[in-house]
Amino acid sequence: MENFTIWSLMIDISIISGLLLAGTILRAKVRWIQSLFLPASMIAGFLGLAFGPSGVDILPFSEQISNYPALLIAVIFGAIPIGAAKVQLSEVFHRVRDMFSYSIILTLSMWGSGVLFALLILNPIFKDLPNGFGLILGAGFLGGHGTAAAIGEGLTHAGWEEAMDLGMTSATVGILVAVLGGLFLIKRSTENGHTKFISSFKDLPSELRSGLMPASKRFSMGQETVSSNSIDPLVLHLAIIAFLIGISYWATNMLTELIPAVSIPLFSVAFILGLVFQGISRKLKADKYIDGRVMERIGGTATDFLVAFGIASINITVVMDYALPLLLLFAFGTLWAYLLFRFVGPNVFRDFWLEKSIFGWGWSTGTVAMGLALLRIVDPELKSKTPEDYALGYVGVAPVDIIIVTFAPILFALGFTWVIPIVLLLGAAVIIVIYKKAGWWGQGNKENTLS
């Protein structure tokens, strides 16, 4: 392996940044790309894959390109708690019970069903598959490239080195399923009269297609909370997250030395320290100088680079070695996501079931960003309040998500893979039973069925 230098890092960032610019231009100008609603970061990743080491090999990426996602996911998770608004748990559970329950069902069942499908069907057919192969479905479809990087890192530490490439492939395929499948479901739903706010694709605003915001619809990325005479506001926020990631890296190494049998992922430590930092800053009344939107933009920046680097660094040879079981796993995941959309959504949501379910389809196959993109198609002005409900509901979902991503690779490494689907699917079933016992199941709109 070549010696890694600061110039290697600079070249990698320069190349991927150029590809992100190219992706933005292609999204803005090429109509058939607009029709796919693919984010610029994904287009950049495909360009990097085609012209990088796994393609024609004309882009001089360093050999370290596959290591960036593990660092970027720590930035994303570390930024989540910092600057977040304080939310009362009573408000979460009373106002957004349906979205919280739906999100938990999606999270538990997508992870659990993928592992169970692999253990019951794929592993007996393909004898060389690791027992944790089914984790690849939830890592990519449910979590996107960020979670794929996290799971890939954990499984790599557990001895499965190909997991990162497979996770990135799963996340990439998941976004395609989210977009293409979501557009099909929306078209079908508009034809059957299930949408509340649009009647056809012709109603879509131009910015959803091109990705370019007109001047009349632009809004601020954040507020300046300190004077630039002291420190630039953006530098303050970058310094916070950079400091936390450095401490997280040190703490992760210390934990590894203390508990060598268990691999603690960097992103989990970053998330926990982010919570601690936010709690301390709130106690000191310093949290008012941290702007939540700026922290979201830092996390969003890391996400775009993660997606681009993640796709560009996919090892095609590894993917081809797992091609058939991957195709079967992805086909099962797509079917499972449709069953959740078709049967769970209409029975859980009382109002705007189609709009909220199409959002659920987007993030259960791709990412939350894809869910929002699909939601904006059927609910351009967000009158269903789906983002607000999800944001509040995620307060309860996030710990479950973190626990799964943190401990699933550990259980895999210890040989307790069967525990994962049993616990997760049982948890999803319990929530559904509670809904039925309470009389909440199926109490939504009268037209809660698809034609």
Side-chain angles (χ1 to χ4, degrees):
M1 180 179 292
E2 67 183 43
N3 292 324
F4 187 68
T5 66
I6 189 64
W7 294 111
S8 299
L9 174 63
M10 188 66 244
I11 290 172
D12 288 341
I13 294 176
S14 176
I15 293 172
I16 213 69
S17 297
L19 295 178
L20 284 167
L21 292 174
T24 303
I25 294 171
L26 289 172
R27 171 68 184 267
K29 298 298 183 182
V30 181
R31 289 192 176 277
W32 71 266
I33 292 180
Q34 291 179 5
S35 66
L36 297 177
F37 291 88
L38 295 179
S41 57
M42 194 170 179
I43 299 171
F46 283 134
L47 293 173
L49 183 63
F51 297 102
S54 291
V56 296
D57 199 14
I58 62 175
L59 294 177
F61 283 117
S62 76
E63 294 183 11
Q64 297 292 321
I65 184 175
S66 61
N67 294 329
Y68 298 141
L71 173 62
L72 291 168
I73 186 57
V75 174
I76 295 168
F77 274 79
I80 289 174
I82 302 174
K86 191 173 183 179
V87 179
Q88 297 295 330
L89 290 180
S90 58
E91 180 184 2
V92 173
F93 285 102
H94 284 89
R95 179 188 161 193
V96 293
R97 180 193 64 204
D98 293 344
M99 179 60 78
F100 168 77
S101 300
Y102 184 68
S103 300
I104 285 288
I105 292 171
L106 257 64
T107 298
L108 297 177
S109 65
M110 185 63 80
W111 280 107
S113 65
V115 178
L116 186 64
F117 176 76
L119 290 173
L120 292 179
I121 306 298
L122 298 181
N123 286 92
I125 297 175
F126 305 97
K127 302 298 184 182
D128 295 331
L129 282 183
N131 287 336
F133 182 78
L135 290 170
I136 297 300
L137 179 63
F141 272 43
L142 190 68
H145 290 83
T147 303
I151 283 288
E153 181 188 11
L155 293 175
T156 298
H157 285 304
W160 185 19
E161 296 182 357
E162 300 94 341
M164 182 69 78
D165 289 305
L166 299 182
M168 289 298 170
T169 302
S170 176
T172 303
V173 172
I175 289 180
L176 291 174
V177 170
V179 173
L180 299 179
L183 293 176
F184 170 79
L185 292 174
I186 290 172
K187 183 177 180 180
R188 183 181 174 189
S189 298
T190 54
E191 292 172 350
N192 293 331
H194 293 295
T195 51
K196 297 291 185 182
F197 305 110
I198 67 165
S199 57
S200 72
F201 272 15
K202 295 179 181 179
D203 299 333
L204 297 182
S206 61
E207 65 267 19
L208 286 184
R209 297 183 183 276
S210 67
L212 303 178
M213 293 292 289
S216 61
K217 295 185 178 181
R218 295 174 187 172
F219 50 88
S220 174
M221 292 171 58
Q223 295 182 335
E224 295 187 7
T225 57
V226 293
S227 172
S228 56
N229 289 331
S230 172
I231 185 173
D232 187 90
L234 180 58
V235 172
L236 172 66
H237 291 75
L238 288 173
I240 291 171
I241 192 65
F243 172 73
L244 277 178
I245 298 305
I247 297 297
S248 300
Y249 181 75
W250 172 80
T252 302
N253 287 338
M254 290 290 292
L255 289 171
T256 301
E257 292 179 4
L258 291 173
I259 320 172
V262 178
S263 174
I264 307 296
L266 176 63
F267 78 90
S268 296
V269 178
F271 181 79
I272 293 171
L273 290 182
L275 288 171
V276 172
F277 182 91
Q278 177 66 1
I280 294 174
S281 64
R282 188 167 285 156
K283 286 287 186 182
L284 298 175
K285 301 187 184 302
D287 58 315
K288 59 185 176 182
Y289 299 107
I290 303 173
D291 188 80
R293 283 197 57 80
V294 174
M295 295 308 302
E296 288 175 7
R297 297 280 61 80
I298 292 174
T301 299
T303 300
D304 279 340
F305 276 99
L306 185 148
V307 171
F309 274 124
I311 297 175
S313 64
I314 291 174
N315 188 328
I316 298 297
T317 303
V318 171
V319 175
M320 293 307 297
D321 289 341
Y322 289 88
L324 186 53
L326 277 177
L327 286 174
L328 294 174
L329 185 66
F330 296 156
F332 169 78
T334 302
L335 175 62
W336 188 263
Y338 174 75
L339 293 175
L340 292 171
F341 169 85
R342 171 66 176 80
F343 295 106
V344 177
N347 285 294
V348 168
F349 295 120
R350 286 159 176 72
D351 301 307
F352 309 114
W353 77 268
L354 188 282
E355 287 73 19
K356 293 178 179 180
S357 295
I358 204 68
F359 168 76
W361 164 273
W363 74 258
S364 66
T365 53
T367 62
V368 173
M370 290 296 98
L372 289 172
L374 292 173
L375 176 66
R376 289 294 299 272
I377 296 175
V378 296
D379 183 10
E381 298 180 17
L382 302 180
K383 293 181 179 179
S384 66
K385 299 188 180 297
T386 300
E388 292 94 324
D389 290 353
Y390 178 77
L392 289 172
Y394 190 71
V395 174
V397 177
V400 177
D401 217 9
I402 295 292
I403 289 171
I404 293 173
V405 176
T406 300
F407 290 101
I410 295 174
L411 290 172
F412 162 75
L414 296 176
F416 298 115
T417 310
W418 278 97
V419 173
I420 300 171
I422 292 173
V423 172
L424 298 184
L425 291 176
L426 183 61
V430 167
I431 294 174
I432 292 175
V433 169
I434 291 174
Y435 250 71
K436 290 188 174 182
K437 290 288 187 181
W440 300 331
W441 187 265
Q443 292 299 306
N445 299 328
K446 295 293 184 181
E447 69 271 19
N448 276 0
T449 55
L450 285 174
S451 301

